[in-house]
Amino acid sequence: MAAGRGSRFLACRGFGWKRPCLPRLERSQYDGNLQIFVYSPIPCADRVFCFWLPMMLHDKFGRQITDLRISVTDRCNFRCVYCRSADPENYREHDEILSWNELERLARIFAHLGIQKMRITGGEPLVRDGLETFLRRLTELRVPDISMTTNGHLLAERAPALLDAGLHRINISLDSLDPIKFEKITRTRTYDSVMRGIDAVQASRLAPAKINAVLVRGFNEDEVEAFAAFARERGVIMRFIEFMPLDADRHWSRELMVPADEVYRRIHAQWPLVQIPHAQSETARKYRFADGAPGEIGLIAPVTQPFCGHCSRIRLTADGKMRTCLFSKDDHDLRGLLRNAASDIEIEARIRALVDRKEKGHRINEPGFVPPSRTMVFIGG
């Protein structure tokens, strides 16, 4: 059965009719692509089985929005040069950050709007108490893909609980294989704990871990081949991300960015690569080693090879702002709706209206580009 874009209806099994309906929800379960609900409709004395067709999110350019990044905190125990300032910063007050219940409610609404992937980000998500409980609540929503990005410092100790909570995949930031250089980039002395976190993931069902490295010329661009060797030796997915203008100190320049094509040429010259097919909406171009070695290479090139035309992502910041692009000039408040007794239907309508106005692209390569006022740690990775 099909419904008009943005419509919601219930179809009662065995009756062959449909009508707008807002009955009382008894319970739900996930069945393939549909959310199956058991309702007690007001007009009926007996329970009937009904199904709900999700109102899939599309923007005005026809892109289907299926991925949501949820930042659960603006706090982080690292101060990476491409993200945060070395100077003290004021965090949001605790009452400005969404509570776990508020985050769960929004996640449920987004799931009903057809979101298929949810990635937990920060700041550093593991610094906020209660993360595992929140993950467990997300798994109860039957979202097909729940992942997390972490700097790995606390991961070794928390990995078992994250697994028990239902985490599907994990990304770990690792910007140098040299402990001294790692300290310079992250402004921490946590290299050994991050490596223990990677080992813990590789020994679990979360393997293979995705390892993210942001290359900054003058800091770590000389480690491209070492990172590729690390992927081959450990069997991890090594992803290289172009440095973007989201650093707090506003030091970004094209001269500091290492283009993805340069990374490809250097690795391919030493270990020939074979491209792996990927979905259009995926951010990374993926490669395997031609000689059959384990591991994988991913190249994420938002600056030199933008993938905006197939973007499927939106973001929710820790303080309840929705962003339709990583580089949006503005973000849009959902926290106010939550705290002023808005209904789920009203919040859904607001989200749909915002998605419809999603930007065509990020404009980094256009004259007069203005970086967003919020840096990566406050937006969420």
Side-chain angles (χ1 to χ4, degrees), residues 5-266:
R5 177 177 162 185
S7 67
R8 180 205 298 261
F9 69 86
L10 294 167
C12 291
R13 185 177 297 169
F15 287 89
W17 53 266
K18 59 182 182 287
R19 61 179 175 82
C21 186
L22 289 173
R24 185 176 74 253
L25 175 63
E26 298 288 339
R27 56 187 166 88
S28 67
Q29 65 187 58
Y30 189 75
D31 182 19
N33 295 318
L34 294 177
Q35 194 85 6
I36 308 298
F37 291 94
V38 178
Y39 284 97
S40 286
I42 294 172
C44 304
D46 300 323
R47 289 185 180 180
V48 294
F49 285 84
C50 302
F51 67 84
W52 175 70
L53 296 183
M55 300 184 295
M56 307 302 289
L57 286 170
H58 291 84
D59 66 17
K60 62 186 175 185
F61 301 105
R63 295 172 296 194
Q64 184 173 327
I65 308 304
T66 57
D67 300 9
L68 175 67
R69 268 58 168 172
I70 303 176
S71 176
V72 298
T73 181
D74 61 350
R75 288 160 168 75
C76 188
N77 42 14
F78 283 15
R79 292 186 176 275
C80 299
V81 296
Y82 56 82
C83 179
R84 302 200 64 186
S85 173
D87 301 323
E89 296 181 45
N90 294 322
Y91 295 110
R92 299 282 181 185
E93 296 294 334
H94 283 290
D95 63 354
E96 295 182 55
I97 301 298
L98 294 182
S99 69
W100 289 124
N101 286 338
E102 289 171 327
L103 284 166
E104 180 191 0
R105 183 184 175 196
L106 285 177
R108 174 169 48 80
I109 291 171
F110 277 109
H112 288 174
L113 289 171
I115 292 295
Q116 299 293 299
K117 297 181 179 180
M118 292 185 182
R119 177 178 298 281
I120 307 304
T121 71
E124 168 50 43
L126 290 177
V127 303
R128 183 171 181 184
D129 292 338
L131 178 66
E132 290 85 354
T133 300
F134 178 61
L135 280 170
R136 192 168 288 107
R137 292 178 179 179
L138 291 186
T139 63
E140 292 170 358
L141 297 177
R142 305 295 184 181
V143 177
D145 189 333
I146 300 173
S147 59
M148 184 179 75
T149 297
T150 174
N151 60 34
H153 176 39
L154 302 173
L155 185 56
E157 295 78 14
R158 303 280 288 279
L162 294 170
L163 282 163
D164 289 344
L167 188 67
H168 298 149
R169 296 184 297 113
I170 196 161
N171 289 38
I172 304 167
S173 297
L174 179 67
D175 296 308
S176 179
L177 294 168
D178 178 340
I180 296 175
K181 195 181 297 183
F182 179 92
E183 180 179 340
K184 181 180 180 182
I185 293 172
T186 65
R187 301 170 177 137
T188 68
R189 296 181 177 179
T190 59
Y191 178 82
D192 290 340
S193 61
V194 173
M195 295 304 293
R196 286 196 299 272
I198 293 173
D199 290 341
V201 169
Q202 287 300 96
S204 76
R205 64 170 172 78
L206 291 174
K210 289 184 178 179
I211 310 299
N212 294 342
V214 176
L215 297 177
V216 181
R217 208 173 293 283
F219 281 90
N220 61 351
E221 88 282 1
D222 60 333
E223 295 190 66
V224 168
E225 291 82 0
F227 277 127
F230 184 76
R232 292 168 62 88
E233 294 164 4
R234 299 293 190 98
V236 299
I237 301 171
M238 191 68 229
R239 310 203 316 168
F240 298 91
I241 304 173
E242 289 181 341
F243 182 29
M244 293 177 282
L246 291 165
D247 57 311
D249 291 327
R250 302 302 187 190
H251 289 161
W252 182 89
S253 70
R254 291 185 182 275
E255 291 70 29
L256 293 175
M257 183 197 64
V258 181
D261 277 350
E262 176 183 329
V263 177
Y264 172 84
R265 288 194 302 270
R266 289 170 57 178

